[in-house]
Structure formats: C-alpha cells, structure tokens
Amino acid sequence: RLLGAFNYPVVDWLDMGCYLEYIDRDGQYQLLCLSHSGFAPLGRSTRFMLREERFHVGWGRTALKRVILAQRVPVDTLQRYMNLWMPGGMDLFGNDGSKSSVWAYERGLKGRPYEMQNLRQTGQLIGDAREALNGIARSAYFADVSKQVEAYNLLLAKQGRRQLIVPSEKFNRKFGDYREQRWTLEGDHELSVEEYPAYLAANLPTPADRALIQDLQLHEQYT
C-alpha cells in the first residue's frame, strides 16, 4: 500500500516513538482484520505477527511516557509531533467506501477488528455496511489512541502541565473522506486556502522543535 505515512521521514527518537505508537498501531488493527480470515493459514499466522506488533506499539507508548516523565520536552513540542503522526496513522486505513476492502470481506480474506469477540459477547457484528469496513477499523483505532492520550494526560496533570489533545479525524488527512481538506486541529471549521499553510506549519514540528530534540539527543543523559 503506497500511502504517504510510510514516507514521512523519521528524523529523531521522538519521531520514532510516535511512529511506533501511531503507525505500528495501525498495523495492529490491519492484522486484527486479517485474524478473522477464512483462509486458515493466514488467520493462524496473524497471532504471531500481532505479538510482534504489540511489542512495537508498547515500545512507542513507553517512549512517549518516558518523554513526559523526564519533563525535558515541552508539551507544545510533543503535541506537534503527535499532530504529524496521528493523521498518518488514520490515513493508513485507506479510502472510505473502498471496493477492495468489500472484495476482501466478501471473499472471507478479512473481517472487522474484534469481529468474532464482539459477536460472541453481544451477538451482533460491529457495523453493518461492508463499504464502511475501513471506517470501522479507523474508528476503533481513533478510540484506542484517544485512550492513550488520556493516560498521558494523567501524567501531565500530576506535573501541573497542560493537557494534550487528540487531533480531529479531519485534520491534515491525505486519504479518506477528509482528503486534502483544510480542517483545524479541533475539527470545528475549515480554513481558507490562504490561511492553511501557515496554520499547518504552526501545528506540525517546527525547526525549533527539531533543533531541541536533536540537542537533547546529542547532549542529555537519561536514566
């Protein structure tokens, strides 16, 4: 899948932590969909791939937690890195109304995330429209990363620092229904063509952010 999130440069260790937290988490959800495959060898093999993916995601989560606990990186800087990587994770689910995902579902190659677990517990499937399979998986992912941000905010609250926010599902999207639109970080309104470049630059990692992380990377010692 030739999507832009795989081509974002990983410049420093904070990029790497965000990549593992948000991009590898997408991989976890893709594997959850494939774990319901009617092609038994594929369905069985995903249990081993999911273990590896959970390790990657756990590493990223631990890295961001340590960043917060160390209190060397301003919350504004961490927010801008998250603003870069979260939309990339959302994009990796592909287009809404995808015909290829319907094709894969109808032929039993993939399902919805947690499909059989939900069916056993409630007797119902998660969502009905086959055309919305990518959106169903994306919504589960968004709820998951939102819970992680809540956990980070508990740490920040203990430090008396300001809270992180979860970028809107509309913000800085390159795939899906909100592709190339100009929504604000909160998703409450769309900016003009003239306003958007400056707004985007101010809410993604700045040269000053990059310089700070590089300096920490070169000179700070962490225990």
Side-chain angles (χ1 to χ4, degrees), residues 89-168:
M90 300 284 284
D91 283 342
L92 284 172
F93 288 94
N95 288 314
D96 297 281
S98 168
K99 293 181 180 179
S100 62
S101 65
V102 174
W103 182 93
Y105 186 83
E106 290 178 343
R107 285 157 180 78
L109 293 177
K110 65 185 292 188
R112 304 169 178 87
Y114 306 114
E115 183 160 37
M116 296 311 296
Q117 175 183 323
N118 189 74
L119 187 60
R120 286 193 297 268
Q121 291 176 350
T122 69
Q124 297 178 339
L125 293 174
I126 303 172
D128 297 319
R130 295 180 181 183
E131 294 78 10
L133 287 172
N134 286 347
I136 292 167
R138 184 184 289 116
S139 294
Y141 167 93
F142 185 78
D144 197 1
V145 297
S146 297
K147 288 180 181 178
Q148 294 307 317
V149 172
E150 288 178 9
Y152 298 146
N153 280 336
L154 290 175
L155 297 176
L156 289 167
K158 291 179 181 178
Q159 298 169 349
R161 303 165 79 193
R162 82 165 185 82
Q163 302 282 279
L164 295 162
I165 67 168
V166 181
S168 166

Side-chain angles (χ1 to χ4, degrees), residues 17-190:
C18 288
Y19 186 96
L20 293 170
E21 170 73 297
Y22 301 117
I23 304 303
D24 276 88
R25 191 178 295 278
D26 163 84
Q28 179 178 316
Y29 276 87
Q30 302 290 354
L31 288 168
L32 281 169
C33 292
L34 291 174
S35 71
H36 303 298
S37 177
F39 179 55
L42 176 59
R44 287 195 300 265
S45 66
T46 56
R47 77 181 74 169
F48 305 104
M49 292 184 277
L50 276 165
R51 289 177 189 171
E52 180 184 8
E53 208 67 91
R54 289 184 183 117
F55 172 78
H56 295 161
V57 172
W59 193 98
R61 185 170 59 247
T62 300
L64 297 187
K65 179 180 176 181
R66 287 176 174 174
V67 166
I68 292 170
L69 291 174
Q71 299 191 54
R72 302 287 205 284
V73 176
V75 178
D76 287 345
T77 296
L78 179 56
Q79 180 72 66
R80 284 189 284 269
Y81 272 76
M82 291 167 59
N83 295 346
L84 172 66
W85 289 103
M86 278 191 196
M90 300 284 284
D91 283 342
L92 284 172
F93 288 94
N95 288 314
D96 297 281
S98 168
K99 293 181 180 179
S100 62
S101 65
V102 174
W103 182 93
Y105 186 83
E106 290 178 343
R107 285 157 180 78
L109 293 177
K110 65 185 292 188
R112 304 169 178 87
Y114 306 114
E115 183 160 37
M116 296 311 296
Q117 175 183 323
N118 189 74
L119 187 60
R120 286 193 297 268
Q121 291 176 350
T122 69
Q124 297 178 339
L125 293 174
I126 303 172
D128 297 319
R130 295 180 181 183
E131 294 78 10
L133 287 172
N134 286 347
I136 292 167
R138 184 184 289 116
S139 294
Y141 167 93
F142 185 78
D144 197 1
V145 297
S146 297
K147 288 180 181 178
Q148 294 307 317
V149 172
E150 288 178 9
Y152 298 146
N153 280 336
L154 290 175
L155 297 176
L156 289 167
K158 291 179 181 178
Q159 298 169 349
R161 303 165 79 193
R162 82 165 185 82
Q163 302 282 279
L164 295 162
I165 67 168
V166 181
S168 166
E169 296 174 272
K170 304 175 184 179
F171 175 72
N172 196 27
R173 294 289 303 284
K174 303 296 189 297
F175 283 83
D177 287 347
Y178 300 109
R179 176 177 182 169
E180 304 299 343
Q181 296 181 17
R182 301 179 301 278
W183 290 93
T184 61
L185 192 63
E186 297 79 13
D188 52 6
H189 67 283
E190 195 171 4

